[in-house]
Amino acid sequence: MEEESVADREARAYQSVSEAEDFAQLKHRFKAFVLPWTIAFMAWYLLYVACNNWARDFMKTEVIGNVNVALVFGLLQFVSTFVIAALYGRYANRKLDPLAAGLNAKFKRERRR
């Protein structure tokens, strides 16, 4: 009888993990965070671009001294990027990492069989 190769064991282990309910839950939770935040960020970015193209008088409005609305919007693009990254980090630590750790352990167990 021929012994199962490492690649075959890993393929079987991956198949087992990918069919697990936790894997489906992990994908769902990931999409539930990423999709709305991606849409929100893209809408915010496109608003910035649209205002720079078609609302130039508004973007030239001075807020404080020589600081205008365009500069504030530009800086808020960076701020929003870091805020979303921080929110994702917290979300992943609470909702994704525990599931991923369990699936990783399952993969390792299945691979050894």
Side-chain angles (χ1 to χ4, degrees):
M1 185 164 104
E2 197 175 305
E3 189 171 316
E4 187 177 37
S5 72
V6 173
D8 289 339
R9 282 197 314 267
E10 287 186 358
R12 183 177 39 78
Y14 178 78
Q15 183 69 31
S16 174
V17 167
S18 70
E19 293 170 350
E21 180 61 34
D22 283 353
F23 188 74
Q25 184 67 27
L26 179 65
K27 288 186 347 180
H28 173 75
R29 287 181 183 180
F30 177 76
K31 289 176 187 176
F33 183 91
V34 170
L35 187 62
W37 280 104
T38 300
I39 291 169
F41 182 81
M42 289 305 297
W44 163 233
Y45 176 73
L46 291 174
L47 173 69
Y48 174 61
V49 171
C51 286
N52 273 319
N53 282 321
W54 295 293
R56 292 184 181 224
D57 290 337
F58 169 69
M59 295 301 271
K60 284 192 250 182
T61 305
E62 291 183 354
V63 179
I64 300 171
N66 290 330
V67 176
N68 61 18
V69 172
L71 182 60
V72 171
F73 270 32
L75 291 174
L76 287 175
Q77 290 289 315
F78 285 102
V79 171
S80 63
T81 300
F82 287 108
V83 167
I84 292 169
L87 290 172
Y88 177 76
R90 286 183 50 205
Y91 180 81
N93 285 336
R94 286 183 296 114
K95 301 284 187 175
L96 303 179
D97 291 351
L99 284 174
L103 289 167
N104 189 37
K106 179 178 180 166
F107 177 78
K108 288 178 181 179
R109 280 192 312 271
E110 292 291 328
R111 192 175 61 183
R112 280 183 259 154
R113 286 187 184 180

